[in-house]
Amino acid sequence: GENVEQHPSTLSVQEGDSAVIKCTYSDSASNYFPWYKQELGKRPQLIIDIRSNVGEKKDQRIAVTLNKTAKHFSLHITETQPEDSAVYFCAASETSYDKVIFGPGTSLSVIP
Amino acid sequence: DTGVSQNPRHKITKRGQNVTFRCDPISEHNRLYWYRQTLGQGPEFLTYFQNEAQLEKSRLLSDRFSAERPKGSFSTLEIQRTEQGDSAMYLCASTPLGGSDNEQFFGPGTRLTVL
């Protein structure tokens, strides 16, 4: 079955700096790669996703890249703000309505 | 509130007791998913339904766990003879079928503590 790995497990950046989280997946059948943000005590919320027919996607300060050949995908957050502090999960799925396999998470702290 | 709802939000039980959780998905969402999240980990897939049909169960789901979605709307997850290792946050999510831009919307979760 699918296995998603994620690095780093914790990340601390100064406000205004960029943050990068990297993930790998194992199942070549995966075609949908969502990223979720989970604040303490709250539910996971989708922040951006990318499909296998696209190499890069951007939404304001957030961008994701996908290398399907290498089975790597990454999340880039620019101009970080304290409210970006949370746990971020990468994930993989065959489609957006199949079961989602999550990575172990990255705890991001943005220091004011 | 038109989001996914879950009840109860918290459940404390003694080892060996049975517990049941309920999930109400967003109206007309065909697919409903159950995940389990332990502290410091990502959600783990347990099972999912398309309407009333249970399409897949994870190997994590022992025979003490059973899930139903009898009318294709709300779903229940029952854990029999609870063990301390069952302590976790149980998350429900739903999504509509069809279209090209679906996401899974998560509920607030039910936090289970087994003493």
Side-chain angles (χ1 to χ4, degrees), chain A residues 80-99:
Chain A
T80 53
Q81 301 167 4
E83 51 266 38
D84 294 330
S85 296
V87 178
Y88 291 80
F89 294 100
C90 61
S93 179
E94 287 193 27
T95 70
S96 59
Y97 43 86
D98 281 307
K99 66 183 180 187

Side-chain angles (χ1 to χ4, degrees), chain B residues 38-106:
Chain B
T38 52
L39 204 61
Q41 300 295 319
E44 295 174 299
F45 168 76
L46 294 178
T47 188
Y48 80 101
F49 293 84
Q50 179 170 312
N51 300 318
E52 65 275 10
Q54 188 172 18
L55 294 188
E56 186 173 348
K57 288 173 60 172
S58 165
R59 288 170 296 180
L60 293 174
L61 220 62
S62 77
D63 55 8
R64 296 185 299 106
F65 288 70
S66 62
E68 294 182 338
R69 194 182 183 198
K71 296 181 181 178
S73 56
F74 72 91
S75 175
T76 58
L77 178 68
E78 181 183 15
I79 309 174
Q80 296 182 326
R81 306 181 302 280
T82 51
E83 301 173 355
Q84 288 184 324
D86 297 331
S87 295
M89 176 73 83
Y90 289 83
L91 292 163
C92 175
S94 71
T95 190
L97 253 187
S100 59
D101 207 16
N102 302 325
E103 70 171 273
Q104 292 188 18
F105 294 88
F106 280 84

